[in-house]
Amino acid sequence: MAKVNPNYQKLPGSYLFSEIARRTAAYSEAHSEAKLIKMGIGDVTRPLAPAVIEAMHAAVDDMARSETFHGYGPEQGYDFLRSVIAEKDFHARGVDIADDEIFISDGAKSDCGNIGDILDVDNVIAVCDPVYPVYVDSNAMAGRAGDYDAEAERWTNITYMPTTAENGFCPALPEGRADVIYLCSPNNPTGTVLTADQLKVWVDYANANGSIIMFDAAYERFIVEGGVPHSIYEVEGAKTCAIEFRSFSKTAGFTGARCGYTVVPKELERDGQSLNAMWNRRQCTKFNGASYIIQRGAAAIYTEEGERQIEETLAYYRNNARVIKEGLEAAGFTVYGAVNSPYIWCKTPEGVGSWEFFDKLLTEANIITTPGAGFGPSGEGYVRLTAFGDADATIEAMERIKKLMA
Amino acid sequence: MAKVNPNYQKLPGSYLFSEIARRTAAYSEAHSEAKLIKMGIGDVTRPLAPAVIEAMHAAVDDMARSETFHGYGPEQGYDFLRSVIAEKDFHARGVDIADDEIFISDGAKSDCGNIGDILDVDNVIAVCDPVYPVYVDSNAMAGRAGDYDAEAERWTNITYMPTTAENGFCPALPEGRADVIYLCSPNNPTGTVLTADQLKVWVDYANANGSIIMFDAAYERFIVEGGVPHSIYEVEGAKTCAIEFRSFSKTAGFTGARCGYTVVPKELERDGQSLNAMWNRRQCTKFNGASYIIQRGAAAIYTEEGERQIEETLAYYRNNARVIKEGLEAAGFTVYGAVNSPYIWCKTPEGVGSWEFFDKLLTEANIITTPGAGFGPSGEGYVRLTAFGDADATIEAMERIKKLMA
């Protein structure tokens, strides 16, 4: 008799976005005239850069002729993409990452989820609270989370690190064991960043304790301030303790095209094993490389033209973030994030819960946000807004909120 | 201290294709004048169908305008692709598969590798010998294989089912426990097929024992003979015991474009759990959907024009397979496969081992094959040839072999 993975039964329903969708649909149905403005899900809306489009068309044409046809590519990604990433994302910042430390994939969510394959079940996982749910759920599926305590909204074996306004959104070092630590900067959902000094504390901790830091830098391109590392490898010592996840989703609008990459330094070893070699083996066995067409598109981001074009789009979103931040502040809210991030983390009015405020914004301003509580208990009392929408709609949303709170 | 997955250390080197590459490179270097003909790796060489190219260009253009831009798609795949698959690959054959039993992915290798995520560690895996290495290695990584016995070239906890000329390439039912059974028809590497009657025996066994059949139908489009199921769901009872993997790689030349799908029937339950719901949860947590552009290309395969065009390419490869089969037989070889498959499984001359014969073909005919022993002990005494090459080169290869053996 085949047995299924028993850990799946322990998973609570993936409540957050389905509940948002349910409440939104119910409201829409009853108020068909309402013009809803979506600021909930972190998905981009601007088209791909012309340089990317051009490169993808050329790659599609390559596939139309036997002389230029591309069959199976390297599981690790094409050299043309790995080398330009090494050069532009790392060497240009003074970080020495080799081409074969970079693994191209179909996206950071796959890599964040699959990275656990190379880890033992017996590791204590530490996550920030609030947190991007994939880190937790993928570990729960692998049996590393213990049992789910529905009342506490926490897994018994996971170490949660409150990341709140009280500690400046920099979690304190854990008191108990933390073998694998997930950090995300710029952060989803809070939009805040860890400075080089703050990250150094974590890198030193990880090296001292043999921990591994899973560093999610999916929003790296939104960083505008100095002193904020774009890569954890800008911090001394990180190559012996950190894996970094990158994505073209928010950088260049690839949420639907699908491409990202993961850096596993060759200096990173545990139990005498090279994690670079293990991840390589994992990818060669359970992945067959990202699409040639999409990799060609991703490489175009690094051309002079491509860089300029994606910066235009990033500026568009950054302006939205500024509009939201200033609008909310003018309406009397306390707001975090937004500066180096497309996410705005907004404190709800005194005594008003996340879901209650979500409902208020939905029904009284027709704006869809994400309740902070959906990202973990410490997200209670916040809502997340995203800057990925239309510029005019973003301005209108802020006017509605100002009116609502007046 | 973080611990790595200890099962990775047990894996033997992924010897086969690297050893082929090593021997080929060594020969090439010493004989730069040699015109090598590659019949080793099962990768396609013909361009994508014009209908697919056209659809991909249109999809790239969709991504260039905000009105038609596609961000995050459904993790399960777009409805436009799931529904046409249900209709053309299943309903048209009288098989009742619903759209939401179909999960689109970046390829069958990912799905075959990742499907183990939803299974308990404590399952006895049964595989054919010879076998596509992904089934074995992915289970070994998950801790289901026991230890590797290098001398026997077998894992201690895996049930191997010899699949040889002696049993007509239909494995006998296992005597011991077999909770999860991998079957591949048309088979990689032997090129042979399981008939409806043969598959029925396995479906009945699985239902009687609560086993799950992982049915790899990646080469389904090569089937030309009657009585050979294109889908395991053509066999009564399969929906309560089987998961099926499909690929556009060999069907339509997508090895570099990357797209495939997996069917998990809603009737399939173990331990009271729906495997459809579990796989859905797995994909929603650790995957973010296949590329919109690639899914549009895949959907074009199912248009009238697309169907006709991919059939032309399939006919090209089928003709190669016929040329190889007839050529080898004319040269005195005993040959299997080739009829419903792009693979030709050729018995080596009496007393000549797989690697020895590989070397002979490499050095004396400049033809690269795959030694059967690389797919498992029962592959010893065979080499695999593929029909995915150029038609003229395929003809020349057979002439070289005839001359060599004359």
Side-chain angles (χ1 to χ4, degrees):
Chain A
M1 170 69 84
K3 295 192 196 75
V4 300
N5 181 338
N7 300 305
Y8 277 61
Q9 284 172 252
K10 300 179 180 177
L11 292 165
S14 55
Y15 174 78
L16 179 60
F17 289 103
S18 59
E19 180 61 17
I20 291 172
R22 195 190 64 74
R23 294 191 189 202
T24 304
Y27 180 79
S28 275
E29 211 164 298
H31 305 83
S32 57
E33 78 298 345
K35 274 186 61 188
L36 297 179
I37 299 177
K38 296 180 189 172
M39 308 182 89
I41 293 175
D43 194 5
V44 298
T45 57
R46 306 295 299 162
L48 295 179
V52 170
I53 294 291
E54 198 182 316
M56 286 181 170
H57 276 309
V60 170
D61 284 334
D62 284 349
M63 301 298 256
R65 294 184 303 272
S66 53
E67 304 75 39
T68 50
F69 178 78
H70 282 69
Y72 289 123
E75 285 93 345
Q76 304 85 353
Y78 279 100
D79 286 341
F80 66 74
L81 182 54
R82 299 172 95 188
S83 63
V84 75
I85 288 171
E87 181 194 336
K88 303 272 187 145
D89 284 350
F90 297 97
H91 304 174
R93 295 193 174 278
V95 177
D96 180 28
I97 290 290
D99 297 6
D100 60 358
E101 296 178 309
I102 294 165
F103 296 85
I104 312 298
S105 76
D106 64 316
K109 187 178 170 194
S110 301
D111 289 351
C112 285
N114 291 330
I115 195 75
D117 281 14
I118 64 170
L119 300 177
D120 196 12
V121 175
D122 181 22
N123 277 299
V124 173
I125 306 299
V127 298
C128 294
D129 170 23
V131 66
Y132 174 51
V134 167
Y135 312 149
V136 174
D137 290 357
S138 60
N139 279 294
M141 288 171 166
R144 292 190 196 96
D147 294 305
Y148 189 68
D149 178 342
E151 203 166 326
E153 297 176 49
R154 294 190 162 188
W155 291 85
T156 51
N157 289 0
I158 284 186
T159 297
Y160 292 86
M161 309 182 292
T163 310
T164 59
E166 287 66 41
N167 58 24
F169 296 98
C170 178
L173 291 172
E175 287 173 23
R177 202 175 129 196
D179 302 315
V180 180
I181 299 154
Y182 288 79
L183 296 177
C184 178
S185 173
N187 191 264
N188 179 11
T190 68
T192 55
V193 290
L194 296 171
T195 64
D197 291 343
Q198 289 171 326
L199 265 180
K200 181 79 173 91
V201 173
W202 282 98
V203 166
D204 290 346
Y205 172 90
N207 280 323
N209 291 277
S211 310
I212 295 171
I213 295 174
M214 299 293 178
F215 189 72
D216 186 346
Y219 300 92
E220 165 267 332
R221 283 275 176 145
F222 282 85
I223 296 170
V224 292
E225 291 185 319
V228 180
H230 290 242
S231 164
I232 195 166
Y233 306 114
E234 293 177 41
V235 177
E236 203 193 321
K239 286 169 81 176
T240 50
C241 69
I243 290 173
E244 180 164 303
F245 303 97
R246 293 280 190 107
S247 168
F248 298 112
S249 286
K250 310 302 160 71
T251 300
F254 272 53
T255 53
R258 311 303 313 140
C259 202
Y261 68 87
T262 289
V263 183
V264 190
K266 279 178 276 191
E267 294 165 45
L268 179 56
E269 293 190 354
R270 290 295 180 272
D271 303 329
Q273 303 298 308
S274 157
L275 275 82
N276 179 286
M278 290 182 72
W279 184 244
N280 186 56
R281 187 71 194 255
R282 192 270 168 208
Q283 292 297 81
C284 287
T285 302
K286 300 172 74 169
F287 183 61
N288 227 333
S291 175
Y292 168 71
I293 297 160
I294 308 305
Q295 290 190 66
R296 279 286 179 204
I301 297 166
Y302 294 95
T303 61
E304 204 175 310
E305 204 188 1
E307 289 265 18
R308 190 177 40 73
Q309 292 165 351
I310 67 166
E311 279 303 326
E312 278 171 28
T313 301
L314 290 164
Y316 181 98
Y317 294 140
R318 280 191 200 110
N319 190 58
N320 284 347
R322 186 186 53 76
V323 166
I324 297 168
K325 180 177 155 70
E326 291 176 3
L328 291 171
E329 284 174 346
F333 288 99
T334 303
V335 167
Y336 303 95
V339 178
N340 298 297
S341 165
Y343 293 132
I344 296 89
W345 192 239
C346 175
K347 190 98 195 70
T348 59
E350 190 63 34
V352 180
S354 282
W355 279 104
E356 191 185 340
F357 193 57
F358 166 88
D359 283 335
K360 185 179 175 71
L361 290 176
L362 172 63
T363 59
E364 297 177 32
N366 297 340
I367 295 168
I368 306 168
T369 58
T370 306
F375 296 100
S378 297
E380 179 54 87
Y382 292 91
V383 293
R384 189 191 74 175
L385 293 91
T386 87
F388 290 122
D390 176 76
D392 291 337
T394 302
I395 291 168
E396 190 185 327
M398 290 309 109
E399 279 163 10
R400 291 187 194 171
I401 289 182
K402 278 180 230 172
K403 205 175 292 174
L404 178 70
M405 303 307 292
Chain B
M1 171 68 85
K3 294 193 197 74
V4 300
N5 181 338
N7 300 302
Y8 278 61
Q9 285 173 252
K10 301 179 180 179
L11 292 165
S14 55
Y15 174 76
L16 179 59
F17 289 104
S18 58
E19 180 61 17
I20 291 172
R22 195 189 64 74
R23 294 192 189 201
T24 304
Y27 180 80
S28 275
E29 210 162 297
H31 305 82
S32 58
E33 78 298 345
K35 274 185 62 188
L36 296 180
I37 299 178
K38 296 179 190 174
M39 308 182 88
I41 292 175
D43 193 6
V44 297
T45 57
R46 307 294 300 162
L48 294 180
V52 170
I53 294 292
E54 199 183 314
M56 286 180 169
H57 276 309
V60 170
D61 284 334
D62 284 349
M63 301 297 257
R65 293 184 302 273
S66 53
E67 304 75 38
T68 51
F69 177 77
H70 281 69
Y72 288 124
E75 286 93 345
Q76 305 83 356
Y78 279 101
D79 286 340
F80 65 75
L81 182 54
R82 299 173 95 188
S83 64
V84 74
I85 287 171
E87 183 194 335
K88 304 271 186 145
D89 284 349
F90 297 98
H91 303 173
R93 295 192 175 278
V95 178
D96 181 28
I97 290 291
D99 297 5
D100 60 358
E101 295 177 310
I102 295 165
F103 296 85
I104 313 297
S105 76
D106 64 315
K109 187 177 171 194
S110 301
D111 289 351
C112 284
N114 291 330
I115 195 74
D117 280 14
I118 65 170
L119 300 176
D120 197 13
V121 175
D122 181 22
N123 277 299
V124 174
I125 306 299
V127 297
C128 295
D129 169 24
V131 67
Y132 175 52
V134 168
Y135 312 150
V136 173
D137 290 358
S138 60
N139 278 294
M141 288 170 167
R144 293 190 195 96
D147 294 306
Y148 188 68
D149 178 343
E151 202 167 325
E153 295 176 52
R154 295 188 162 190
W155 291 85
T156 52
N157 289 0
I158 284 187
T159 298
Y160 292 86
M161 310 182 292
T163 310
T164 60
E166 287 66 42
N167 58 23
F169 297 97
C170 179
L173 291 173
E175 285 172 25
R177 202 175 129 197
D179 302 317
V180 180
I181 300 155
Y182 287 79
L183 296 176
C184 177
S185 174
N187 190 265
N188 178 12
T190 68
T192 56
V193 290
L194 296 171
T195 64
D197 290 344
Q198 289 172 326
L199 265 180
K200 181 79 174 91
V201 173
W202 282 98
V203 167
D204 290 345
Y205 171 90
N207 279 322
N209 291 277
S211 311
I212 295 171
I213 295 173
M214 299 294 179
F215 190 72
D216 185 345
Y219 300 92
E220 166 268 332
R221 284 276 176 142
F222 281 86
I223 296 171
V224 292
E225 293 185 317
V228 181
H230 289 242
S231 164
I232 196 167
Y233 306 114
E234 293 177 41
V235 177
E236 205 193 318
K239 286 167 80 174
T240 51
C241 68
I243 290 172
E244 181 165 302
F245 304 97
R246 293 280 192 106
S247 168
F248 297 113
S249 286
K250 312 301 160 74
T251 299
F254 272 54
T255 52
R258 310 302 314 141
C259 201
Y261 67 89
T262 289
V263 183
V264 190
K266 280 179 276 192
E267 294 166 46
L268 178 57
E269 294 190 352
R270 292 294 180 272
D271 303 330
Q273 302 298 308
S274 158
L275 274 82
N276 179 286
M278 291 181 72
W279 183 244
N280 186 57
R281 187 71 195 255
R282 192 270 168 209
Q283 292 296 82
C284 287
T285 302
K286 299 172 75 170
F287 183 61
N288 228 333
S291 174
Y292 169 71
I293 296 160
I294 308 304
Q295 289 190 68
R296 279 287 179 203
I301 298 166
Y302 295 95
T303 61
E304 204 174 309
E305 204 187 2
E307 290 266 18
R308 190 175 43 70
Q309 292 164 351
I310 66 165
E311 279 302 327
E312 277 171 29
T313 301
L314 290 164
Y316 180 98
Y317 294 140
R318 280 191 200 109
N319 190 59
N320 285 346
R322 186 186 53 76
V323 166
I324 297 168
K325 180 177 154 69
E326 291 177 3
L328 292 171
E329 285 173 345
F333 289 99
T334 302
V335 166
Y336 303 96
V339 178
N340 299 296
S341 165
Y343 292 132
I344 296 88
W345 192 238
C346 176
K347 191 97 194 72
T348 58
E350 190 63 34
V352 180
S354 282
W355 279 105
E356 192 185 340
F357 193 57
F358 166 89
D359 283 335
K360 184 180 174 72
L361 288 176
L362 171 63
T363 59
E364 297 177 30
N366 297 339
I367 296 168
I368 306 167
T369 58
T370 307
F375 297 101
S378 296
E380 180 53 87
Y382 292 91
V383 293
R384 189 190 76 175
L385 293 90
T386 88
F388 289 122
D390 177 75
D392 291 337
T394 302
I395 291 168
E396 189 185 328
M398 291 308 111
E399 278 161 9
R400 291 187 195 171
I401 289 182
K402 277 181 231 174
K403 204 174 289 172
L404 179 69
M405 304 305 292

